[in-house]
Amino acid sequence: MQKAVQLSSLASTLVLAEHEAGFIKAASVSAVVAANSVSKDNSISVLLAGSGPSLQEAAAHAASCHPSVSQVLVADSEKFTYPLAEPWAKLVHLVQQRGGYSHIIAPSGSFGKNILPRAAALLGVSPVTDVIEILESNLFIRPIYAGNALCTVRNTGVDPCMMTIRSISFPVPPTSANSKSNVSPISQVDLSTFSEDSVGKSRYVKQTSQNTERPDLGNARVVVTGGRGLKSAENFKMLEKLAEKLGAAVGATRAAVDQGFVPNDLQVGQTGKIVAPELYMAFGVSGAIQHLAGMRDSKVIVAVNKDADAPIFQVADYGLVGDLFEVIPELLEKLPEKK
Amino acid sequence: MKIMVAIKRVVDYAVKIRVKSDKTGVETQNVKMSMNPFCEIALEEALRIKESGLASEVVAVTMGPAQSVDTLRTGLAMGADRGIHVESTGALYPLSVAKLLKALVEVEKPGLLILGKQVFLNASIREVGFVFLPVKLHCIVAWRLRILCGSVTFCHSRFPVKAIDDDCNQTGQMVAGLLGWPQGTFASKVVLDKENRVATVEREVDGGLETLSLDLPAVITLIESPNTLSNIRCNVQGVYDSYTILILLIFKIGTDKAECTDLRLNHPRYATLPNIMKAKSKVIKKFTPQELNVEIQSDLEVVQVTEPPKRKAGVMVSSVDELIDKLKNEAHII
């Protein structure tokens, strides 16, 4: 087996992007930002798959979403109507064979984690998951053991180097809207040689999404989270009121999810979402290590708990020992209206 | 039908681990080793399926150095009918594990393959702060209570570890890709339809639940939640005999003891003395990766492990007014 010596500064990166309603998802733009730190002279191609007009809109959005995107590849076919792992992995395999990319990057959401390892197996490479920092083109940092340690990994294998990145670690700089100054070319992927072998063995049935008026948990500026201490689904309504007032997203601990207070896509932590908002307020959250793993990078952490010894107070910037059933109403009354 | 269960030998989680003085890893000489508790759960599940008359044979598989055979014997003593040992030294990354599993599935054609999966970490704060075990196939994390209480102090900030396939969530997808089977990852509900040979899988995805219909054989990875396990329990029993379905029980890192008990699919049995004696005569077949046509790749290396940056100490406030004042005038956040 040959050891790839990556002396060439010519990196070329393929970013697997997820789109919805004609827009590239924010996490995928973060993957472009991550691709940017692979090397100085990196040509970045964004790969989109789907079908119909919304795909073309998304492609246009991808072409202008970040100045460093050098081209957008579009795979337009019925097979890609839903982001299933089987056709996607095949597609990545096909595109890689033609493009010979040095890196393939996807965001670490359920989309990337589902597709990238499968594609890596087809390409015979070991992927690296949840990268939070790219030091060199083959040197990465990823959290291990519930974020209690950071592991620096060197990839010594053959190209492509495949990874999923943690999107909150690669924030997208705010750009002036419609910076049409550079729109990268869009080209269609030729699917004539797209092989069918494991495609068609899985079918999309339906998706039940939790449509909320509130901002998305992953990108909210403020997150208010409730734990077991809220005692019931009814009491979560209080938290929702508070969230409304702050313009915040609502999160929950695994305990609250397991008790059935809230649906599980609100779960923050190791097994749920990883968030890093400006303000994180935890009510009735003890602060189990798996939960902390999902919010430790928040800018300001506020904890309200009646147990003064709760571990959450160890990471909180501001802690208040008190009964949340008294504290939340008081906050509702005294907080200034959101800007 | 035949069930194949993968089991792994790890340092017993009751053992206080010592880091080698040269910081290259963990002292495993003269340390008690035993079966990864999650593998015990997987094996117990297989044995129960067999006892309910749905399987004819339970085959235990292990990958690793020669000593792994001891763990295999334990599995045989619990009730597995025979063993397979894939002999391999050095770290096995998910890609190699996936290739070996694929090869074994093709050799054995089991109706079901079960893996218990979790990364095993054992920390003894007073002595070493943080310790890592080589992870080859799958392990479990056993947090000491002190860690759960949040008072983690790292005594060593750097020592190399030999394993990085923890919490990667890769093996299932990779096996599926290699076998060309459809995959249902992060499943919280699985309904098998024997007639049409399809599995309806409810997956947890960002922003909700997605339902897929997969042709069997398929690879299904489960996410941990008490509901998942009862869902699976109800649906998995009594459905497969003519096709292979692969289930990986994925338990995430950091599941604490209390949660483990919640999440337990079952309580594994003890090997009785007569069964231990019987196990000595059961067959263990040896394979080398070469015999299975698998090239063991190790294309990732751990350079170092460090502790994450610490947050600065916070302050306790005594009232809501004070809290709002701080958020306004100190943190400038509201």
Side-chain angles (χ1 to χ4, degrees), chain A residues 1 3 18 25 82-86 108-111 113-115 117-118 120-122 124-130 139 142-158 197-198 200-211 221-222 246 254 257-258 264-265 270-271 273 278-279 281 287-290 292 295-302 304 308-311 313-321 326-328 330-331 334-336 339, chain B residues 93-96 99 119-121 130-133 135 141 143 147-152 154 161 163-170 173-186 188 198 200 202-215 217 223-227 252-256 259 263 295 297-309 311-321 323-324 326-328 330-334:
Chain A
M1 209 188 88
K3 289 259 168 160
E18 200 181 0
K25 287 195 177 175
Y82 304 105
L84 298 170
E86 296 76 9
S108 248
S110 54
F111 164 86
K113 280 186 170 165
N114 188 33
I115 291 166
R118 186 180 179 106
L122 299 184
V125 301
S126 292
V128 184
T129 39
D130 262 345
L139 199 64
R142 60 180 299 259
I144 52 174
Y145 300 116
N148 282 284
L150 300 177
C151 179
T152 308
V153 185
R154 184 185 301 281
N155 186 335
T156 55
V158 293
D197 58 352
S198 57
K201 290 183 181 175
S202 66
R203 288 157 303 277
Y204 178 92
V205 179
K206 64 170 195 244
Q207 172 138 10
T208 44
S209 53
Q210 312 290 340
N211 277 330
R221 201 184 68 87
V222 182
L246 287 162
R254 181 173 148 166
V257 169
D258 283 350
N264 56 9
D265 60 337
Q270 174 93 20
T271 45
K273 288 217 170 49
E278 283 179 43
L279 174 61
M281 301 181 88
I289 204 151
Q290 310 82 291
L292 301 185
M295 44 66 88
R296 66 190 328 149
D297 296 329
S298 307
K299 199 166 148 207
V300 175
I301 298 174
V302 173
V304 177
D309 294 330
F313 288 127
Q314 313 234 3
V315 297
D317 299 288
Y318 303 109
L320 176 57
V321 177
E326 290 161 17
V327 173
I328 297 177
E330 197 178 342
L331 275 170
K334 292 178 176 172
L335 275 174
K339 289 166 194 160
Chain B
Y93 292 107
L95 180 63
S96 305
K99 285 179 175 173
V119 174
F120 191 12
L121 154 84
F130 229 70
V131 181
F132 304 85
L133 294 176
V135 180
V141 176
W143 299 97
I147 293 195
L148 282 168
C149 296
S151 53
V152 184
F154 294 89
V161 289
I164 49 171
D165 67 333
D166 63 286
D167 203 27
C168 284
N169 233 321
Q170 297 174 350
Q173 294 89 311
M174 294 180 101
V175 175
L178 294 172
L179 287 163
W181 293 357
Q183 66 186 53
T185 50
F186 323 125
S188 54
V198 293
T200 306
E202 213 167 78
R203 310 175 55 222
E204 291 197 2
V205 295
D206 296 342
L209 288 171
E210 182 184 71
T211 310
L212 300 179
S213 155
L214 310 174
D215 291 351
I223 44 155
E224 45 148 350
S225 97
N227 302 343
K252 285 279 176 69
I253 286 188
T255 308
D256 62 32
E259 281 183 307
L263 288 169
E295 187 196 6
Q297 281 168 258
S298 57
D299 35 19
L300 297 175
E301 88 186 48
V302 172
V303 178
Q304 63 170 28
V305 172
T306 54
E307 53 184 287
R311 292 186 74 91
K312 62 174 182 27
V315 293
M316 298 303 279
V317 296
S318 55
S319 69
V320 170
D321 292 316
L323 175 62
I324 292 178
K326 292 263 190 209
L327 289 177
K328 254 191 204 158
E330 201 173 86
H332 307 294
I333 213 152
I334 54 172

